[in-house]
Amino acid sequence: MSRPLGLLADVVPFSWVDGPGNRCAVFLQGCNLDCLACHNPHTMPRQTARAREVTVEELLDEVRPLAPYLSGVTVSGGEATLQAEFVAAWFAALRDDPATARLTRFIDSNGCADSATWDLLLPLTDGVMLDLKALDVETHEALTHRSNAPVLMSLRRLVHERKLAEVRLLVVPGYNDDEDTLRDTGEYLADNAPGVPVRVIGFRAHGVRAAARQIHEPTAEERASYGEWVGAAVGRQLVTLV
Ligand code: SF4
């Protein structure tokens, strides 16, 4: 049986910011959101001359020599779950290869996958880092051009299956940075994802498209307030501020 091909935007052999420990981060090409504050806009289109097509075996060959120095691998994007068949086949190959079997397998996702996609991926996945762009549906649509309904469904499913490793909140001034919004978001997470770490990320203009370059970059004091407001409900020890 032929294995699916993956379309890659980039591979970072060693990363300390894409999940626990030292990880090989694989960025897949193509996304199903159109985020105003996207820092990797080149990964959004599915068709682009910059992308690289690989087989499962080729990507396994790239990771095998790195394995002694890694905690695990993370697939990111773009949106990794759009290439779920490739990710599942690659994760299964990593699990079955003696050189890579001990590596943990994580997904960094915007949460727009449906339940059939999670059915395929979760048995092969150790953890998911999930973006919650906004709890309020209108704000989510303003920031991403899509509803957050599938994201909230994914969050509940991942909690139920004990696979939600982290929730990531990108705080964009003028959209989701006010105290009430962040306290409400913290309370929602405390109720629906208790004990799950939360990474609160202040907007930065570096790398974003022209339409987002006028957005205010929060000061250190403003970022600290974001962490305080979210942490008041979820527990400050669970919040990482970036
Ligand atoms: S989900 Fe991520 S990659 Fe996709 S548009 Fe949004 S920020 Fe960019």
Side-chain angles (χ1 to χ4, degrees):
M1 191 173 73
S2 67
R3 283 180 161 181
L5 294 170
L7 195 61
L8 307 189
D10 201 5
V11 175
V12 176
F14 301 109
S15 167
W16 290 91
V17 297
D18 292 290
N22 190 15
R23 312 190 72 76
C24 175
V26 175
F27 295 85
L28 301 185
Q29 183 70 38
C31 191
N32 47 4
L33 291 186
D34 178 13
C35 296
L36 173 66
C38 182
H39 285 260
N40 296 314
H42 66 282
T43 67
M44 290 164 63
R46 176 75 181 167
Q47 304 297 336
T48 168
R50 295 176 58 152
R52 172 165 68 103
E53 207 170 56
V54 292
T55 65
V56 166
E57 289 74 16
E58 286 167 342
L59 193 54
L60 182 62
D61 286 346
E62 286 189 39
V63 172
R64 207 182 276 117
L66 309 174
Y69 313 103
L70 293 174
S71 310
V73 301
T74 296
V75 287
S76 185
E79 173 52 25
T81 63
L82 286 179
Q83 300 186 51
E85 289 189 10
F86 174 77
V87 173
W90 187 54
F91 277 7
L94 288 162
R95 176 199 61 192
D96 295 340
D97 189 299
T100 55
R102 69 169 186 83
L103 300 180
T104 56
R105 301 176 296 271
F106 275 61
I107 299 173
D108 183 355
S109 173
N110 66 25
C112 289
D114 61 18
S115 62
T117 300
W118 290 125
D119 289 346
L120 175 66
L121 290 172
L122 289 183
L124 296 155
T125 302
D126 294 296
V128 177
M129 282 87 70
L130 186 78
D131 295 344
L132 177 58
K133 309 287 187 187
L135 187 58
D136 173 70
V137 66
E138 288 181 10
T139 306
H140 195 275
E141 287 172 356
L143 284 170
T144 72
H145 299 101
R146 276 192 66 177
S147 162
N148 63 4
V151 182
L152 300 180
M153 281 184 61
S154 290
L155 184 143
R156 288 190 286 271
R157 167 85 183 264
L158 294 169
V159 168
H160 181 70
E161 300 215 15
R162 299 179 183 276
K163 294 287 174 82
L164 186 58
E166 184 177 79
V167 175
R168 294 180 167 181
L169 303 177
L170 176 62
V171 182
V172 183
Y175 289 85
N176 60 1
D177 65 325
D178 64 280
E179 181 171 351
D180 286 349
T181 293
L182 289 172
R183 287 189 183 277
D184 288 350
T185 304
E187 286 171 15
Y188 176 88
L189 293 174
D191 290 343
N192 291 277
V196 174
V198 181
R199 184 172 293 257
V200 179
I201 305 164
F203 170 79
R204 285 190 172 84
H206 180 73
V208 301
R209 290 173 290 179
R213 283 190 205 129
Q214 308 310 318
I215 296 173
H216 165 68
E217 279 195 3
T219 63
E221 291 73 22
E222 288 168 330
R223 290 171 198 270
S225 295
Y226 303 160
E228 284 297 311
W229 296 333
V230 174
V234 303
R236 288 176 180 80
Q237 75 284 359
L238 288 174
V239 173
T240 301
L241 204 54
V242 179

